[in-house]
Amino acid sequence: MDLNTIERNETDSASQSAAAASAPAKKVFVKTYGCQMNVYDSQRMTDALAADGYTATDVIADADLVLLNTCHIREKAAEKVYSELGRIRDMKAERAAVGREMLIGVAGCVAQAEGAEIIRRSPAVDLVIGPQTYHRLPDVLARVRGGEKIVETEYAIEDKFEHLPQPKRAEMIKRGVTAFLTVQEGCDKFCTFCVVPYTRGSEVSRPVAQIVAEAERLADAGVREVTLLGQNVNAWHGKGEDGMEWGLGRLLFRLAEIPGLARLRYTTSHPRDMDDELIAAHRDLPALMPYLHLPVQSGSDRILKAMNRRHTAKDYLALLERIRAARGDIALSGDFIVGFPGETDADFEATMGLVRQVNYASAFSFKYSPRPGTPGADMPDHVPEAVKDERLQRLQALLLKQQQDFGLGLVGSTIDTLIEKPGRQAGQKVGRSPWLQPVIVDEMAGEIGDIIRVRITKTGYNSLFAELA
Ligand code: 5AD
Ligand code: SF4
């Protein structure tokens, strides 16, 4: 799974919305927690609501509908939702006092996992909707307006993507030159720490024609870089235009043919699903960016086995060797969990050793958080919180050092940068390196959507500074 940037990626997608179909417009405020797939889902829900007459707002007090798109991956994520619901309840009461409605909806993985419990714990909530039923949102809202409280968490049999409306072209243009595109959803791997197979359901791949059509629409709206999303994106497969069974590698080749799409990425991958064709795509497809998020979680075989990862540390390292042989400048990113039940000092040292061996360009690391209903939660020998803290600190210090060294190693080199948006400071624009770092350039260096050659002059905390090459 492991769509990363969980908890780093809270965005109010209000500014991403479309114009209402007809007046008077109702307003929706959407807050997104968690991974990139939730960011994508929030956009698609906003599109569905636009077709229902809602415009987006980023002022929560103005909203007729507040939608929290939630994340259940770790405990803190769900707790944040409950405390946010407390604040929103007060706003709902203030609006009610002046005769205005504020409906509250909870979507996403907490909605799926907790269902009706959310309304029991937060009675101000009007609707709870799981990730597989977003296309039913307008219907659900109609029933809510009729006075019902709705919990909609059955997995739908129909394909939600076929029923979700596409945004208007003008709206797509506003969303910028990079975009996410979900190609696969759900997970059949059942890592013992992970709640995703229960919240997102089993693995489903979207059909080739749907994906190509969506990518073409994005390119037509000026998108230059598309990141294909899936909990196990490299398990994607489907019947190709030639009648053959395609894997992700073949799909990437097809998407690279779309005029305007200059850059492709995919996330997140499982080591078990990196097949030869996908590795060949890294060798032969210049549009495929040389950056790979390939979580390993632990460097200890004992813990990997307990996690049901179904590979050893050696398997992972051997795989990286093949990938690096295909694409020399590829940068690696990963996810790590410290303090999985039974993790000893020696197990943790094995993780540190693996990190030193791989040398990551970026990584995300977390303390193990028992998820109700997952096998890990019921395992013996839970690691004390203080030990988890200490291990996480040591691991993060090492990963941060590697990330900074990776940036420093780029100083003086010339790289391609996709100009993405105006900078925070006047006179600057922000671009994106092939390895996902923000690149700060002079605003005259190029227009948004241009890919320009720049020379890296220095590094910031998390970014690169560059001049036109
Ligand atoms: N506790 C801690 N981290 C977790 N992750 C997934 N489940 C848990 C959990 N129960 C991490 C994994 C995954 C990333 C998205 O979140 O590292 O790859
Ligand atoms: Fe990823 Fe494993 Fe969770 Fe599936 S079960 S989403 S592979 S961490």
Side-chain angles (χ1 to χ4, degrees):
M1 108 151 270
D2 345 40
L3 289 176
N4 66 63
T5 66
I6 283 179
E7 280 175 32
R8 293 160 180 255
N9 216 346
E10 288 176 23
T11 50
D12 299 337
S13 61
S15 54
Q16 304 160 348
S17 168
S22 58
K26 294 164 285 185
K27 291 195 174 134
V28 57
F29 175 93
V30 184
K31 179 161 181 163
T32 308
Y33 298 81
C35 65
Q36 292 105 323
M37 192 174 284
N38 266 8
V39 174
Y40 175 84
D41 286 347
S42 287
Q43 288 185 343
R44 300 303 298 266
M45 281 192 278
T46 307
D47 299 336
L49 291 168
D52 201 33
Y54 280 90
T55 53
T57 176
D58 43 21
V59 184
I60 187 165
D62 286 350
D64 304 284
L65 168 63
V66 174
L67 207 49
L68 302 185
N69 191 7
T70 62
C71 172
H72 199 51
I73 197 87
R74 283 174 295 277
E75 198 161 358
K76 254 184 14 210
E79 284 312 312
K80 272 192 197 171
V81 170
Y82 280 111
S83 66
E84 183 77 11
L85 283 173
R87 277 197 294 276
I88 299 168
R89 178 198 53 207
D90 297 344
M91 275 185 250
K92 179 176 180 143
E94 280 165 31
R95 269 177 73 99
V98 294
R100 293 171 71 194
E101 190 175 55
M102 180 187 269
L103 298 177
I104 303 178
V106 179
C109 291
V110 176
Q112 187 66 41
E114 303 263 284
E117 175 64 18
I118 296 178
I119 296 183
R120 264 197 295 277
R121 219 171 131 176
S122 307
V125 171
D126 300 284
L127 65 121
V128 174
I129 187 163
Q132 301 314 333
T133 41
Y134 291 158
H135 54 297
R136 297 192 189 148
L137 195 52
D139 261 7
V140 166
L141 275 171
R143 283 158 61 203
V144 167
R145 277 189 230 104
E148 280 179 74
K149 296 234 176 209
I150 310 267
V151 178
E152 178 87 48
T153 51
E154 290 298 306
Y155 293 132
I157 354 151
E158 72 272 17
D159 173 10
K160 74 173 164 191
F161 292 107
E162 270 192 8
H163 294 83
L164 278 167
Q166 288 290 333
K168 299 223 163 57
R169 187 165 178 272
E171 179 52 32
M172 287 172 115
I173 291 172
K174 266 197 273 167
R175 288 178 186 174
V177 295
T178 62
F180 296 129
L181 200 177
T182 292
V183 300
Q184 180 279 333
E185 201 173 338
C187 182
D188 296 340
K189 292 277 190 296
F190 291 93
C191 299
T192 53
F193 52 82
C194 186
V195 79
V196 164
Y198 313 93
T199 58
R200 290 272 171 179
S202 54
E203 269 176 32
V204 179
S205 294
R206 287 179 74 186
V208 172
Q210 238 187 44
I211 296 167
V212 170
E214 190 165 328
E216 283 174 345
R217 267 193 302 272
L218 289 169
D220 178 57
V223 167
R224 305 300 316 277
E225 176 177 309
V226 169
T227 303
L228 306 183
L229 299 182
Q231 268 86 33
N232 256 318
V233 71
N234 54 348
W236 178 90
H237 61 94
K239 193 163 176 205
E241 290 154 335
D242 53 6
M244 308 285 284
E245 184 70 8
W246 287 8
L248 189 68
R250 185 70 190 77
L251 180 68
L252 286 161
F253 276 99
R254 173 66 184 87
L255 296 177
E257 289 170 11
I258 296 173
L261 285 192
R263 290 176 155 198
L264 296 170
R265 305 178 185 277
Y266 62 92
T267 198
T268 282
S269 307
H270 192 286
R272 288 274 298 225
D273 291 318
M274 287 301 298
D275 65 13
D276 291 342
E277 198 176 32
L278 187 52
I279 296 176
H282 279 286
R283 183 187 61 218
D284 299 331
L285 196 55
L288 184 55
M289 290 293 98
Y291 177 91
L292 178 61
H293 184 70
L294 195 62
V296 65
Q297 314 294 358
S298 168
S300 151
D301 287 346
R302 226 173 53 79
I303 296 298
L304 286 169
K305 189 152 197 292
M307 286 176 165
N308 191 32
R309 290 292 289 182
R310 291 185 268 175
H311 61 78
T312 61
K314 214 167 127 202
D315 296 336
Y316 179 78
L317 292 169
L319 174 62
L320 292 191
E321 232 168 80
R322 285 168 57 216
I323 296 167
R324 281 175 162 154
R327 181 84 204 229
D329 64 346
I330 201 156
L332 267 300
S333 159
D335 290 342
F336 297 90
I337 295 176
V338 301
F340 187 77
E343 187 187 71
T344 61
D345 285 341
D347 293 319
F348 175 67
E349 289 311 327
T351 299
M352 294 291 279
L354 179 136
V355 169
R356 283 189 204 99
Q357 228 175 314
V358 172
N359 203 4
Y360 287 90
S362 80
F364 304 92
S365 45
F366 314 98
K367 285 191 284 183
Y368 173 69
S369 156
R371 304 284 66 209
T374 61
D378 297 329
M379 286 182 184
D381 302 326
H382 279 256
V383 175
E385 216 43 40
V387 176
K388 287 189 204 170
D389 280 332
E390 198 258 340
R391 289 180 187 165
L392 187 67
Q393 262 182 31
R394 281 186 54 208
L395 177 60
Q396 290 190 335
L398 175 61
L399 290 167
L400 181 64
K401 171 88 172 58
Q402 293 189 345
Q403 179 180 329
Q404 287 170 341
D405 286 349
F406 179 70
L408 284 171
L410 291 170
V411 173
S413 66
T414 302
I415 67 167
D416 281 342
T417 294
L418 169 62
I419 307 278
E420 227 188 324
K421 55 189 175 197
R424 272 204 213 119
Q425 287 182 30
Q428 293 182 337
K429 280 200 180 100
V430 184
R432 201 184 265 216
S433 81
W435 307 282
L436 277 183
Q437 299 127 307
V439 182
I440 318 290
V441 294
D442 186 277
E443 71 174 333
M444 306 304 280
E447 295 303 316
I448 289 169
D450 288 351
I451 294 173
I452 57 169
R453 295 288 287 169
V454 298
R455 189 172 311 103
I456 306 302
T457 53
K458 60 175 181 173
T459 63
Y461 182 71
N462 183 27
S463 54
L464 304 169
F465 290 83
E467 60 193 17
L468 256 188

